[in-house]
């Protein structure tokens, strides 16, 4: 997933703090946003030149004690 606008942080800071092994580690709400966009794209509801913006709301490391993340973190 390309980073089109890193907000108030530079791209390196985003990569250093939100990514592990080149994957974003974010909370479930951010994952839900990404899944929704993927679903819209798969359904053909997005044109090639559409731009979709959604928030990566928080870092996923705070969920480390939840079994869902056990194998990943």
């Amino acid at each position: 997933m390309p980073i089109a606008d890193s907000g108030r942080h530079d791209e390196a800071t985003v990569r250093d703090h939100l990514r592990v092994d080149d994957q974003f580690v974010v909370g479930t709400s951010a994952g839900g946003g990404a899944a929704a966009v993927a679903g819209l794209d798969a359904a053909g509801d997005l044109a090639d030149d559409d731009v979709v913006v959604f928030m990566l709301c928080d870092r996923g490391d705070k969920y480390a004690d939840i079994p869902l993340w056990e194998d990943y973190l």
Side-chain angles (χ1 to χ4, degrees):
M1 173 183 312
I3 300 171
D5 181 351
S6 58
R8 66 182 181 149
H9 303 290
D10 60 38
E11 214 169 300
T13 300
V14 171
R15 284 200 166 80
D16 289 347
H17 289 81
L18 292 179
R19 293 169 69 117
V20 174
D21 295 332
D22 207 35
Q23 298 292 319
F24 281 103
V25 178
V26 294
T28 54
S29 57
V37 173
L40 290 170
D41 188 42
D45 292 334
L46 299 175
D48 289 342
D49 60 346
D50 281 347
V51 175
V52 179
V53 177
F54 66 96
M55 299 295 294
L56 301 178
C57 303
D58 57 12
R59 294 184 356 206
D61 60 346
K62 72 181 194 177
Y63 303 105
D65 60 341
I66 297 174
L68 171 69
W69 298 97
E70 218 168 57
D71 294 334
Y72 190 74
L73 296 175

